[in-house]
Amino acid sequence: MNLKTMRAGKYRSNGGFFGDCIEWLDARLPLSAFWRKHFSEYLVPKNLNFWYFFGSIALVVLLMQIVTGIFLAMSYQPDATPNADGIPVAFASVEYIMRDVNWGWLIRTTHSTGASAFFFVVYLHIFRCMLYGSYRKPRELLWIVGVVIFYALMAEAFTGYVLPWGQMSFWAAQVITDLASAFPFFGTALADWVRGDFSVGGATLGRFFALHVVALPLALILLVVLHLVALREVGSNNPDGFEAQKRVNVEGTLLDGVSFHPYYTVKEVFALSVFLLVFFSLVFFAPEGGGYFLETENFLPADPLKTPEYIKPLWYFTPFYSMLRAMTRPLLGVDAKLLGVLAMNGAVGVLVFLPWLDRAPVRSIRHRGPVFKVMLSLFVASFLTLGFLGAKPPEYVLWGAIPGAPIARAATFFYYFYFLAMPWWSKIDLCAQETQAA
Ligand code: HEM
């Protein structure tokens, strides 16, 4: 479609078969109007940088997970009972996919590596929002929908991890479902209700399968659509943090905008190619990612009578797992286990309030003062430390001298301090106030 025919309204074919098909379709579906509205005439700030690629990469990864997931579901069996060889049917069906299904190994490793890639991309996407203050007015709802997407993504990854019914699948499900029992009064009943039994078993596998392949993907798709609709309403922020949507000429056109197509589509295609190159290099040459994408312990079938030496989640959950383990003593009458559960869940929940916690007069790191830069660097350091310690046993000692447990506690404290003290420290950031005055 060239710009001339597009501008004229409906698409007009030059006589070729392909053109005729598009003309036929366009007369019955508002295709060219959609293309104009969302791509060729959609104006975005012209100063977007590489941080803005991760949203569309996340979209592609979501699609990839759905497609590979559909093919996996054709051969996977959510059945925990042992087969003739004494191996759980679910575990054996994954082995079957890897060995006997045509291209099964590629579909499975693309899906398992895709889970790690999804979190990697979404973590960078969230970090970009923190760098440029993208969560602030008028993008609060866009941000909140993002936080809900993150919760749904965590639930999707956790339920998926249980499906191969390996040792770590089983024991991780045991540890995590047992957390529900930390709540007073109804805790035990809640844990039994979540598992569908008194301990993790066939009933748990069945419901996790239903959630993983139907309910959560549907919720994710719906939430992502909401996210994009909200984005279109308020428009993209940008690395300088100024409100590009307000700088318009008399015709209402953005002064600092360029059309999404071709100026950004060409960049997005390049970024996506680089991403896919790295991603498929990992899929082909390091599908287990040294135990970070697929854990060694999970190549053994689930055995309820044999607890692994230590139970740990995959890398993307380790910062939150660290917070759970960091709570070892009761506080103000609240039991340590419940404190851990609250700390772990609250770590994501607190993000919802970020638009109102941040009181700086400017949005972007480019115009903020040293306090923000120091606080954000310490925040990243504490998050990475928590992630590192969460992948180690609880008795881990850093450099053979510093016990990991108090470090994890201090990092958890700082994580919360960053957010809860933000109304204070974001206000005293001198440079930011100077920028406002200027
Ligand atoms: C499945 C996961 C997600 C998908 C597919 C997705 C998709 C997108 C896309 C395509 C954009 C526009 C391009 C860009 O700015 O990068 C965007 C922007 C945005 N997203 Fe997401 N997103 C996801 C998760 C999240 C999460 C978890 C959060 C926050 C917790 C979030 C917060 C935002 C915000 C605030 C913007 C506007 C950024 C700006 O204009 O500077 N998103 N998202």
Side-chain angles (χ1 to χ4, degrees), residues 50-107:
F50 79 96
W51 284 106
Y52 281 77
F53 293 142
F54 296 108
S56 22
I57 295 181
L59 213 54
V60 172
V61 178
L62 175 65
L63 198 75
M64 207 158 67
Q65 290 303 88
I66 291 170
V67 173
T68 50
I70 290 171
F71 280 98
L72 285 176
M74 291 177 190
S75 306
Y76 170 80
Q77 294 181 41
D79 183 354
T81 53
N83 64 11
D85 300 322
I87 310 260
V89 173
F91 185 88
S93 73
V94 175
E95 295 284 287
Y96 167 73
I97 290 169
M98 290 296 278
R99 297 198 172 115
D100 296 323
V101 172
N102 288 339
W103 300 102
W105 60 273
L106 180 60
I107 295 165

Side-chain angles (χ1 to χ4, degrees), residues 361-362 367 369 426-438:
V362 291
H367 306 291
S426 60
K427 240 181 174 171
I428 57 156
D429 207 358
L430 281 175
C431 285
Q433 282 169 6
E434 275 166 20
T435 312
Q436 186 193 36

Side-chain angles (χ1 to χ4, degrees), residues 52 55 59 118 125 128-129 134 142 146-147 149 227 231 236-237:
Y52 281 77
L59 213 54
F118 213 157
H125 186 67
R128 181 280 315 267
C129 297
S134 301
L142 170 63
V147 178
I149 291 180
H227 194 61
L231 175 74
S236 283
N237 180 32

Side-chain angles (χ1 to χ4, degrees), residues 73 156 159 207-221:
E156 178 70 355
T159 49
R207 60 190 53 199
F208 278 22
F209 178 67
L211 288 172
H212 185 75
V213 305
V214 186
L216 290 166
L218 259 179
L220 266 173
I221 293 168

Side-chain angles (χ1 to χ4, degrees), residues 118-163:
F118 213 157
F119 276 90
F120 180 73
V121 168
V122 167
Y123 275 135
L124 292 181
H125 186 67
I126 298 176
F127 182 61
R128 181 280 315 267
C129 297
M130 294 171 86
L131 277 180
Y132 299 142
S134 301
Y135 46 79
R136 294 185 56 169
K137 192 180 168 195
R139 297 181 183 79
E140 303 95 320
L141 195 60
L142 170 63
W143 168 257
I144 293 171
V145 174
V147 178
V148 181
I149 291 180
F150 191 57
Y151 267 124
L153 194 61
M154 289 171 112
E156 178 70 355
F158 171 61
T159 49
Y161 187 57
V162 176
L163 301 186

Side-chain angles (χ1 to χ4, degrees), residues 339-408:
L339 270 182
V341 174
L342 295 176
M344 184 170 85
N345 285 291
V348 178
V350 73
L351 293 177
V352 166
F353 304 101
L354 196 51
W356 297 277
L357 293 172
D358 188 350
R359 301 279 170 86
V362 291
R363 282 190 191 133
S364 169
I365 187 165
R366 289 191 180 171
H367 306 291
R368 293 218 193 198
V371 177
F372 178 75
K373 287 167 191 164
V374 170
M375 288 300 280
L376 189 67
S377 309
L378 289 174
F379 174 79
V380 172
S382 65
F383 192 70
L384 294 179
T385 307
L386 283 166
F388 173 79
L389 291 172
K392 302 282 175 205
E395 58 282 359
Y396 182 76
V397 178
L398 272 166
W399 302 296
I402 314 165
I407 304 276

